Amino acid sequence: MSKIKGAGAFFICLLFVLAWYLASFYSEWTLWYQNDISVRWEETSGVSPAYLSKELRWQHQDGGFVPEFVMWRTEQSQQLLGDQNDRSVTGEILEYYGDISLLYPVKFLSGYWASDERGCVIDKSVADTLWGSSEVVGRSILWNGKTWYVRGVIDGDESTAFFPAQEDNTTEFSGILFRLPKSQTGVMQAEQILNQCHLPAGKITDLGLFSWITEAMSSIPVFLMWGSLTLKLIYQIWKVRSTQLILLVTILFVLMQFLFICWAAGFPWTIPDRFLPTRWSDTSFGSELGRSVIYPIKEILIKLPSVWEQWFWKQFFYSGVFSIIAVVLLLFIFNLQYVKRAGFVFWKSIVYWGMVLILTWIFGERIFQYPPASILTMPPVWMTSQWMMDRYHKWLDLIKEQEKGNDKNEEE
C-alpha cells in the first residue's frame, strides 16, 4: 500500500512539474508584447498607410515621438494560385505596412520577411499544398491580380500568407500595433499618439498588461510555496516566544531560511508602475484597470481575431489554464507526507531537475525565452526548508524533554 501511495504522489508531482512548466512556457511567449499596444478600428473608421505615413512624417519633422509600428488588415477565404500545375489554396491573407517582425514571433523554415515590394511570406501549410515542400523561396504566387514572390516560409498550419503594402496604399487598414519604450507604454500613451497623429480612436488593448498577468499567473506556485514556508517560519518564532535564549536562536535560524527562500522565489518581485495607482484612495483606478482586462477579452470573443491575435490569446489562455492546474496539484502536494531524510530531499531534487531539463529539451526549439530561475530553485528549496524545519522541531523537542528531566531531578 505504501508503494502505491508513493507512486501516486510521484505521479501528482510529475503532473505538477509539467503543468507549471507549460504555464511558464506560454507566459514567456507573451513577453514578446510586454511594451506593445494594439489599436483596432471599426470597419468604417480605418486608417490607410498613405495617411499614416504622411502624419508620421509631419510628426517627425515637428520633433515629436514616432514609435515603432506595424499596421495590418486581414481577408478571409482568399485564393492563392501557385506557379506549378495550376494548384491553388484558400486561406487567410494578412496585409501589413510597417515592421512586420513586431507582430508576432514566428519560426522560419526558410527565408525571412520580405524586403521588397513584391515579396511575400507564406506558412508551411500553403507551401505544402502548392508545392509539397517548404523549400520554395523564389517561387511565384498569384493573388489580387498580381504576381508575388515567396521570400520566406514560416511554421504553421493555418494557411496564412503575408503581403506588404506600400506607402501610397489608400486602402483602410483595421488595426495597428505600437511598440513603445518601457517608460512610456500604456493606454494613455497610445491615446496621446493617436491624438498627435490625428488618427481615429479605436479599441485599445494594452498587450503589456496581459503579458504581465500571464507572468503573474504562472508565478502563483512560487508565491504559494514562499507563502507557506513564511507562515511556518513565523509560527516557529511564535511557539518559542516565552524562552528568550531559544527565541534568539530561532530568530537567527528563521532569518537564514527566510533569506534563502526569498532568493529562490526571485524576490523582490516587481509590478510595473502603470499597474499601480498614484494614490491608493483613487477608487476609479481599479475599475479602469478591470475594464482594460475585461473589454479586450469580450471583444476577442465577439469578433473574429486576426491570425496574430489568435496566436497571442492562445498563449494567454493556455498559460492561465496550466497555471490553475499547477496550483490545484500543488495544494495536493502540500498535504503529502514527505520522508524526513536528507537523502530523500537530495534525490528528489535531482529527479525534479532532471524532469525540468527533459521538458526544456522537448520544448527547446519552441522556447522564446527560458523559464524563470525560480522554476528550478523553488521546489528543491521548499523541500530542503521542510526538512530543516522538521530537524529543528526535533531539536526543540529534545531540549524540552531535557528541561522536563532536569525539573524532575530538582524536585526529587
Side-chain angles (χ1 to χ4, degrees):
M1 183 62 69
S2 60
K3 290 184 178 180
I4 296 176
K5 288 184 178 180
F10 178 77
F11 182 69
I12 292 175
C13 293
L14 181 63
L15 291 179
F16 164 71
V17 175
L18 178 61
W20 189 18
Y21 189 93
L22 289 175
S24 298
F25 170 77
Y26 289 112
S27 171
E28 294 300 317
W29 275 111
T30 63
L31 292 179
W32 181 270
Y33 302 95
Q34 60 185 334
N35 298 322
D36 294 353
I37 297 290
S38 170
V39 182
R40 192 164 184 173
W41 296 292
E42 301 292 341
E43 295 179 359
T44 57
S45 61
V47 175
S48 69
Y51 180 82
L52 179 66
S53 59
K54 179 186 67 175
E55 292 294 333
L56 291 180
R57 187 163 51 250
W58 288 347
Q59 181 77 0
H60 178 71
Q61 291 174 355
D62 293 339
F65 171 64
V66 179
E68 297 180 86
F69 73 92
V70 56
M71 300 180 70
W72 82 89
R73 73 181 189 93
T74 58
E75 293 188 30
Q76 305 291 329
S77 303
Q78 294 292 299
Q79 188 178 46
L80 301 172
L81 297 175
D83 60 3
Q84 180 180 358
N85 299 327
D86 295 328
R87 292 184 182 180
S88 65
V89 60
T90 300
E92 179 179 354
I93 300 301
L94 190 145
E95 193 173 10
Y96 64 90
Y97 173 68
D99 187 356
I100 182 61
S101 65
L102 302 178
L103 205 52
Y104 71 118
V106 294
K107 177 185 177 182
F108 274 89
L109 303 178
S110 60
Y112 197 61
W113 294 113
S115 57
D116 58 310
E117 295 183 359
R118 285 303 179 89
C120 68
V121 170
I122 60 176
D123 68 9
K124 186 177 184 297
S125 177
V126 174
D128 288 341
T129 303
L130 295 180
W131 296 288
S133 170
S134 58
E135 298 295 330
V136 295
V137 173
R139 305 298 292 264
S140 62
I141 286 181
L142 183 65
W143 173 69
N144 199 24
K146 297 180 181 179
T147 300
W148 304 79
Y149 297 94
V150 178
R151 303 305 184 203
V153 179
I154 65 173
D155 191 16
D157 55 4
E158 292 85 8
S159 295
T160 306
F162 303 82
F163 294 91
Q166 302 309 307
E167 186 175 335
D168 57 354
N169 191 316
T170 57
T171 303
E172 290 188 344
F173 279 45
S174 57
I176 187 169
L177 181 140
F178 292 114
R179 178 155 295 176
L180 307 176
K182 189 175 181 179
S183 59
Q184 300 180 15
T185 190
V187 174
M188 293 184 61
Q189 184 68 23
E191 291 174 345
Q192 291 178 8
I193 293 174
L194 293 177
N195 291 331
Q196 291 170 1
C197 296
H198 304 98
L199 303 179
K203 301 293 178 66
I204 299 177
T205 301
D206 188 349
L207 299 176
L209 170 61
F210 289 95
S211 174
W212 180 81
I213 289 175
T214 57
E215 188 177 12
M217 288 190 300
S218 65
S219 299
I220 292 176
V222 174
F223 179 77
L224 288 178
M225 284 184 274
W226 176 86
S228 67
L229 290 176
T230 301
L231 290 176
K232 289 181 179 179
L233 292 175
I234 294 173
Y235 179 66
Q236 279 191 335
I237 295 176
W238 178 258
K239 282 180 63 177
V240 298
R241 66 189 185 280
S242 58
T243 309
Q244 292 185 354
L245 181 59
I246 296 179
L247 177 62
L248 178 61
V249 175
T250 303
I251 290 175
L252 294 175
F253 171 76
V254 166
L255 181 61
M256 178 190 67
Q257 271 199 297
F258 182 71
L259 294 175
F260 189 41
I261 63 176
C262 284
W263 166 81
F267 193 84
W269 304 309
T270 57
I271 301 177
D273 291 339
R274 71 180 190 276
F275 304 146
L276 294 172
T278 53
R279 300 189 313 274
W280 288 104
S281 59
D282 185 3
T283 56
S284 63
F285 177 84
S287 59
E288 291 176 1
L289 189 63
R291 284 194 294 269
S292 298
V293 175
I294 295 173
Y295 285 174
I297 295 178
K298 288 174 60 178
E299 190 74 15
I300 215 70
L301 295 175
I302 295 172
K303 292 188 176 181
L304 182 66
S306 64
V307 60
W308 81 265
E309 290 171 316
Q310 293 177 32
W311 186 90
F312 172 80
W313 289 108
K314 282 180 182 177
Q315 314 308 308
F316 176 79
F317 286 116
Y318 285 166
S319 179
V321 169
F322 284 113
S323 295
I324 293 173
I325 294 174
V327 168
V328 172
L329 292 172
L330 183 60
L331 295 178
F332 276 105
I333 293 173
F334 280 165
N335 294 322
L336 296 177
Q337 296 296 321
Y338 286 91
V339 179
K340 308 300 183 180
R341 296 198 310 269
F344 170 86
V345 174
F346 175 78
W347 288 112
K348 289 298 181 183
S349 299
I350 295 297
V351 171
Y352 174 79
W353 287 326
M355 289 190 291
V356 173
L357 290 176
I358 290 172
L359 289 172
T360 303
W361 175 71
I362 293 174
F363 293 95
E365 293 185 356
R366 300 177 56 198
I367 288 178
F368 164 64
Q369 180 172 305
Y370 286 106
S374 57
I375 203 171
L376 280 171
T377 58
M378 194 61 197
V381 167
W382 182 71
M383 289 188 291
T384 303
S385 295
Q386 295 276 19
W387 174 79
M388 290 176 67
M389 281 188 284
D390 179 70
R391 301 301 299 174
Y392 190 74
H393 285 157
K394 290 182 177 180
W395 177 73
L396 289 178
D397 292 340
L398 181 61
I399 290 178
K400 289 179 179 179
E401 289 179 2
Q402 290 177 350
E403 288 179 349
K404 289 180 179 179
N406 293 335
D407 292 340
K408 288 183 179 180
N409 292 332
E410 290 177 358
E411 291 176 358
E412 292 177 356

